[in-house]
Amino acid sequence: MNIRVLLILLFFTAGIWAQNEEILVSGLLVEAETGQPIPYATVVLNDTNANTTISGAITNDQGAFEIKTVQKDFYVEISFMGFKTIKLRDFKVKGREVDFGTIQLYQDSQTLDEVVVRGEVSKTEFKLDKRVFNVGKDLSSTGASALEVLNNVPSVNVNIEGEISLRGAGGVQILINGKPSVLADESSNALGTITADMIQSIEVITNPSAKYEASGTSGILNIILKKEEKQGWNGSVSLNTGIPDNHSIGFSLNRRTEKFNLFTQMGAGYRSLPRDNEAINRNLTNNEVIFSEGENFRNETFFNITLGTDYHLNKYNVFTLSGNFAYEIEDQPSETNFRFFEASNILVSRWMRDETTEATNPKWQYEFNWKKQFKNNEDHTFQLSALGSFFGKDQSSLFTDTTLEGENVDNNQRTATNFQQADFTFKADYTNPLTKEYTIETGAQYVINDVGNDFEVEDFIDGEYVINENLTNDFEWNQKVLGVYGTIAYENKIWGVKGGLRVENTDLETLLANTNEGNSRNFTNFFPSFHTSYTFSEKFSLQAGYSKRIFRPRLWDLNPFFNIRNNFNIRTGNPELQPEFTNSYELTSIYEIGKASMSSSLYHRYTTDVVERVSTFVDNVNFTTPENIGTNSSIGFETNGKYSPTKWLTFTGDFNFNYFVRKGAFEGQIFDFTGNQWSTRLGSKIGLPADIDLEFNGNYRSGFETVQGEQSGFAFLDIGMRKKILKGKIVANLGIRDVFASRIQERFVDQPTFETYNFGRRGRFFTFGLSYAFGKGEAMTYSGRRR
């Protein structure tokens, strides 16, 4: 009896064990069109009879999945956004396993179309003290870099060398998530590593509040990166070439996990930047004239690497540590031809001046940032950051003069430059939304600039080189700026107001070490700001704002020793230069008219101690030096917009006009005059079949009167074409910058005793790039921008 019971129990237990035997379900998910793995797709096992969920999982970085189940009657359902959902019912269990092998998912065109319609067009919206350019599908899916996105923002322009201007003026501050960053510095090659799909929006701040550093009058561009992160491996490889020489290879890699975001970017290349120059120095007292014309090159071999990590300690604390190192090897050959005429157009001498320059430029940056969010509100934050950078230049030049006709004017020279610059920025910001309507901000910033430029000139006399004491010195520049600020804002859905005050103390010292000529300045300034806005409807809003700004002279404005490439046209700095102060007022509107979105501004700026470059004439040599000359009162109007009549055609444009009143005096000469200046830009983007996009950007900048003469206007056209292959995994770019070689710099000086003319032109550039993305990254272009 006991044996029978035992056998029955064993049989029953075996049956239960057999029923609970686990089955392993596995497979690999890929895109049908490209064969690329699909990570983070949803895989669900559903009960065949009850139509309920049994178990589920998501695919890993390589698109693979594994699920265990004890139930035999099930089917598999796989789904991922933008792809058609599939159900797998026809399979067999072999050896307690179901191996589906490689499973292909096809894109759902209807779903994709809906996504494109919702987020296709990048749009600008209005905030209390800024405009926000939201990056839409039209840019985020193109594989463009951050520089290309910036070039699509109204009022912003990026030129051929990657220099960024706002409303036609340079000196723009670039921030990443509201703070200085290795990735935001124009002097490194790192800004090109930010792709369009990483950018949520770009804040355009033309009249900054007291929260921001008071220096610079052009405004601020704040790049806001997306919070969501694509976990896994992402990367891109880029090859570029061009005429004149512009060859580079770049590689970026990004690894994201729940806690860490590890990123690196590296590249190398060679580029050549030619420039045509022409100058005329005319002495009106004795009718002597010196003509000079030539071509110079800046040839650079460069290497660059960026390393960094974001560490998410928890939901409320993120630490960032990153660094960038670059090394450049420069070669700057030039040839300038001179002709010297006496009165009655008599040729006295004709000679050629050759330059051979070699330089090495090491530079690096490092950054630490800690951002803390408080539990009560994600906008309640504290952020602490430190940014350091170094740039060095070890340069030697040899100038050889060869007489070709007439009197002997050979004047061989050589120069040596040892330049070092170290900058440090420490910043703390605290933001607290007290209620839904009231927000306070406070913080501090400390900036240290430490520069040394040891410049030596030697003349070849009687068979040997002798130091020219008049042109040789060691210039030291040390500047420390401490700023603290506070703002308070009230904003509801219709109306808002924000006021603030920033206090900055500047401690500046310059020293010419060889002659012991020093200049020390210490001053404290108050920089108030006020902004208000009113929303009349979803399609029309108004904003008014006021701020006070400062322009502190830069190193090259202060350093009296510079290049002697053309020793009849010498540009020098002025150690006695004082800062500019500007009071800025703006009234801005944003509105929509049909399919067009528009923004217009009326603005007034009043600037004191205006920095102007002034020419003086000694022995037929033109010396150009910055000086503080009087005041500038300008009234301007700017309008810009975007119009998309169809899905495949988009127009963008802006127009800026200002009327100015200049008052001032220099060395007994009165500079009181009025003038105007205007610029316009019109761009179009045309979507062609086969994933081809064409872009045309035309620009015009008018001439304007200066304190001693006038600056000529010019127009230029850029053309670009982009072809996406394999759904954007490969992107080919073809560009022509300055199609007609019409982008020139032309300056006339007309004075009672002399006249000068200076002309410069970079010329036409052709570029071609090919980029490949792997993982879920975007194909991008490695720019390798120069300092």
Side-chain angles (χ1 to χ4, degrees):
M1 183 70 176
N2 291 336
I3 294 177
R4 291 180 179 178
V5 172
L6 181 59
L7 290 174
I8 292 172
L9 289 174
L10 288 173
F11 180 79
F12 182 73
T13 304
I16 294 176
W17 181 85
Q19 290 179 4
N20 292 331
E21 183 179 287
E22 287 188 332
I23 298 173
L24 178 63
V25 182
S26 62
L28 177 66
L29 200 61
V30 300
E31 297 181 23
E33 291 84 355
T34 66
Q36 293 288 325
I38 303 177
Y40 319 119
T42 303
V43 184
V44 177
L45 304 187
N46 292 324
D47 189 301
T48 303
N49 301 317
N51 202 26
T52 57
T53 299
I54 301 170
S55 181
I58 62 172
T59 57
N60 63 14
D61 297 346
Q62 289 74 41
F65 67 89
E66 289 185 353
I67 307 174
K68 292 181 179 180
T69 181
V70 297
Q71 188 161 335
K72 292 183 178 180
D73 296 328
F74 65 87
Y75 66 92
V76 181
E77 183 175 348
I78 302 176
S79 61
F80 189 66
M81 185 179 69
F83 291 81
K84 294 180 179 179
T85 299
I86 62 172
K87 296 178 181 180
L88 305 176
R89 301 178 184 270
D90 186 16
F91 58 85
K92 293 182 180 181
V93 180
K94 296 181 179 180
R96 303 171 190 169
E97 289 187 6
V98 178
D99 186 358
F100 286 101
T102 300
I103 304 169
Q104 294 183 334
L105 280 193
Y106 290 86
Q107 291 193 5
D108 188 343
S109 59
Q110 181 176 354
T111 303
L112 289 176
D113 289 343
E114 291 174 357
V115 173
V116 171
V117 169
R118 285 195 299 269
E120 181 179 1
V121 179
S122 301
K123 291 185 177 181
T124 302
E125 63 177 324
F126 206 73
K127 295 295 184 181
L128 180 58
D129 57 349
K130 58 198 169 192
R131 284 178 287 163
V132 180
F133 180 79
N134 295 300
V135 179
K137 188 73 174 179
D138 57 328
L139 291 177
S140 65
S141 62
T142 61
S145 70
L147 290 167
E148 292 177 88
V149 176
L150 285 170
N151 214 22
N152 280 275
V153 176
S155 306
V156 179
N157 185 60
V158 182
N159 74 4
I160 194 168
E161 295 184 6
E163 296 172 343
I164 300 169
S165 61
L166 179 59
R167 285 180 173 170
V172 185
Q173 295 183 43
I174 309 295
L175 305 176
I176 301 289
N177 292 333
K179 62 180 178 62
S181 171
V182 166
L183 296 176
D185 184 70
E186 287 187 78
S187 67
S188 75
N189 300 323
L191 193 60
T193 67
I194 301 176
T195 57
D197 77 311
M198 297 167 60
I199 302 174
Q200 175 178 309
S201 61
I202 296 176
E203 298 177 350
V204 181
I205 306 170
T206 55
N207 202 357
S209 71
K211 176 180 179 178
Y212 299 99
E213 188 177 356
S215 63
T217 57
S218 297
I220 294 169
L221 297 175
N222 184 22
I223 301 173
I224 306 297
L225 302 181
K226 293 178 180 177
K227 294 181 180 179
E228 62 268 20
E229 298 180 348
K230 300 175 181 178
Q231 295 191 19
W233 290 100
N234 305 315
S236 182
V237 178
S238 178
L239 293 170
N240 303 280
T241 188
I243 303 173
D245 291 328
N246 186 11
H247 318 297
S248 65
I249 179 171
F251 172 76
S252 66
L253 189 64
N254 181 257
R255 167 66 171 169
R256 296 177 187 265
T257 66
E258 184 177 352
K259 289 287 187 180
F260 283 96
N261 171 31
L262 305 173
F263 54 90
T264 182
Q265 184 270 330
M266 62 189 70
Y270 173 80
R271 58 184 159 228
S272 178
L273 296 174
R275 182 182 179 88
D276 296 323
N277 297 287
E278 183 182 344
I280 303 174
N281 295 359
R282 191 181 301 275
N283 191 327
L284 299 182
T285 60
N286 56 21
N287 293 322
E288 293 180 343
V289 184
I290 292 180
F291 296 90
S292 62
E293 58 183 1
E295 184 178 27
N296 60 72
F297 292 83
R298 182 188 292 271
N299 304 325
E300 296 176 341
T301 301
F302 57 91
F303 310 90
N304 176 68
I305 183 171
T306 299
L307 294 170
T309 182
D310 297 319
Y311 173 57
H312 297 258
L313 178 65
N314 51 43
K315 183 179 180 180
Y316 303 105
N317 291 273
V318 180
F319 296 90
T320 299
L321 182 65
S322 62
N324 169 264
F325 174 76
Y327 192 78
E328 297 172 349
I329 303 172
E330 287 187 15
D331 174 26
Q332 300 182 30
S334 74
E335 180 180 291
T336 306
N337 290 283
F338 291 85
R339 290 173 294 155
F340 174 36
F341 291 87
E342 286 184 340
S344 303
N345 202 29
I346 300 174
L347 178 68
V348 176
S349 183
R350 185 170 65 89
W351 71 99
M352 180 175 63
R353 183 175 176 86
D354 287 321
E355 174 189 357
T356 301
T357 293
E358 296 179 347
T360 56
N361 308 327
K363 51 189 177 182
W364 58 78
Q365 284 189 302
Y366 39 89
E367 171 201 11
F368 170 78
N369 183 73
W370 169 42
K371 183 176 182 179
K372 176 178 176 56
Q373 288 183 310
F374 294 88
K375 295 182 179 180
N376 66 321
N377 191 322
E378 66 175 9
D379 294 325
H380 185 189
T381 61
F382 173 76
Q383 189 161 265
L384 185 68
S385 64
L387 181 69
S389 66
F390 171 85
F391 175 75
K393 178 182 283 290
D394 185 1
Q395 177 174 297
S396 61
S397 301
L398 177 63
F399 299 91
T400 305
D401 287 11
T402 304
T403 301
L404 303 176
E405 188 177 354
E407 293 182 2
N408 188 351
V409 293
D410 292 353
N411 180 27
N412 296 346
Q413 296 174 299
R414 68 184 185 187
T415 66
T417 303
N418 183 12
F419 175 86
Q420 293 185 335
Q421 176 175 348
D423 301 308
F424 305 93
T425 301
F426 305 93
K427 200 168 187 288
D429 296 286
Y430 175 72
T431 301
N432 188 354
L434 302 175
T435 67
K436 290 183 178 180
E437 290 83 19
Y438 288 95
T439 300
I440 61 170
E441 299 171 316
T442 187
Q445 177 174 284
Y446 188 51
V447 179
I448 303 172
N449 308 113
D450 189 358
V451 176
N453 185 54
D454 191 352
F455 184 65
E456 181 182 81
V457 178
E458 294 178 309
D459 297 321
F460 191 70
I461 301 175
D462 297 330
E464 63 179 352
Y465 282 98
V466 180
I467 294 178
N468 187 326
E469 299 291 349
N470 293 326
L471 300 178
T472 298
N473 218 315
D474 184 2
F475 179 73
E476 297 178 5
W477 175 56
N478 303 99
Q479 180 174 268
K480 301 178 182 67
V481 180
L482 173 63
V484 295
Y485 73 89
T487 72
I488 183 169
Y490 170 84
E491 186 175 18
N492 57 35
K493 294 182 179 180
I494 298 177
W495 176 73
V497 61
K498 181 177 184 178
L501 178 66
R502 187 179 187 93
V503 182
E504 290 190 350
N505 173 262
T506 303
D507 185 5
L508 173 65
E509 292 184 0
T510 63
L511 174 66
L512 293 170
N514 294 3
T515 54
N516 199 31
E517 299 174 66
N519 183 17
S520 298
R521 275 168 275 173
N522 189 294
F523 50 91
T524 300
N525 303 104
F526 295 88
F527 300 95
S529 67
F530 178 81
H531 295 83
T532 185
S533 66
Y534 190 86
T535 301
F536 292 88
S537 68
E538 292 183 359
K539 295 187 176 183
F540 182 68
S541 301
L542 278 179
Q543 180 197 60
Y546 161 78
S547 67
K548 185 177 180 180
R549 312 291 296 161
I550 184 175
F551 169 74
R552 296 183 181 87
R554 300 155 297 184
L555 168 67
W556 302 117
D557 297 316
L558 300 169
N559 185 8
F561 298 98
F562 205 68
N563 197 301
I564 57 171
R565 172 173 293 154
N566 185 330
N567 51 4
F568 281 83
N569 285 277
I570 298 177
R571 178 178 174 180
T572 67
N574 178 8
E576 304 294 328
L577 207 59
Q578 300 295 316
E580 290 182 351
F581 291 95
T582 299
N583 289 284
S584 177
Y585 307 82
E586 283 192 12
L587 176 64
T588 305
S589 64
I590 184 171
Y591 47 93
E592 294 184 9
I593 303 175
K595 295 182 179 180
S597 59
M598 303 286 291
S599 175
S600 299
S601 299
L602 289 172
Y603 58 89
H604 168 59
R605 293 173 182 164
Y606 183 77
T607 304
T608 58
D609 288 326
V610 179
V611 176
E612 293 274 9
R613 289 206 164 268
V614 177
S615 290
T616 55
F617 208 71
V618 179
D619 295 331
N620 296 331
V621 179
N622 176 33
F623 294 91
T624 306
T625 308
E627 300 285 352
N628 294 108
I629 300 181
T631 63
N632 182 20
S633 178
S634 66
I635 298 176
F637 169 75
E638 181 195 38
T639 185
N640 53 69
K642 189 172 187 178
Y643 174 58
S644 299
T646 66
K647 291 183 179 180
W648 54 269
L649 180 62
T650 299
F651 294 101
T652 59
D654 59 64
F655 174 80
N656 189 0
F657 174 87
N658 74 81
Y659 170 82
F660 57 86
V661 178
R662 290 287 283 114
K663 292 184 178 181
F666 177 70
E667 294 185 347
Q669 185 176 357
I670 303 300
F671 294 106
D672 290 354
F673 64 96
T674 62
N676 62 74
Q677 181 181 3
W678 64 277
S679 64
T680 186
R681 181 181 65 165
L682 178 63
S684 64
K685 181 177 179 179
I686 304 170
L688 301 178
D691 275 338
I692 296 176
D693 290 327
L694 284 179
E695 292 183 348
F696 297 87
N697 282 293
N699 293 261
Y700 177 76
R701 298 180 188 176
S702 74
F704 58 94
E705 188 175 353
T706 65
V707 291
Q708 290 184 302
E710 64 177 318
Q711 187 98 16
S712 292
F714 59 90
F716 64 96
L717 174 68
D718 297 334
I719 297 177
M721 182 177 71
R722 177 181 289 115
K723 163 66 176 172
K724 291 188 290 183
I725 306 169
L726 297 178
K727 303 298 181 180
K729 286 298 179 181
I730 299 177
V731 175
N733 290 284
L734 176 65
I736 307 175
R737 294 293 186 99
D738 196 2
V739 175
F740 303 106
S742 56
R743 185 173 185 166
I744 62 173
Q745 292 179 331
E746 194 174 39
R747 180 182 175 90
F748 299 86
V749 172
D750 184 8
Q751 293 297 288
T753 59
F754 70 93
E755 293 177 348
T756 68
Y757 168 76
N758 285 275
F759 170 89
R761 179 175 57 192
R762 284 289 187 198
R764 187 183 300 107
F765 284 72
F766 296 89
T767 61
F768 177 75
L770 196 63
S771 304
Y772 169 71
F774 53 90
K776 298 303 289 183
E778 298 286 336
M780 55 159 284
T781 297
Y782 169 73
S783 58
R785 304 285 176 179
R786 65 175 296 271
R787 183 184 179 94

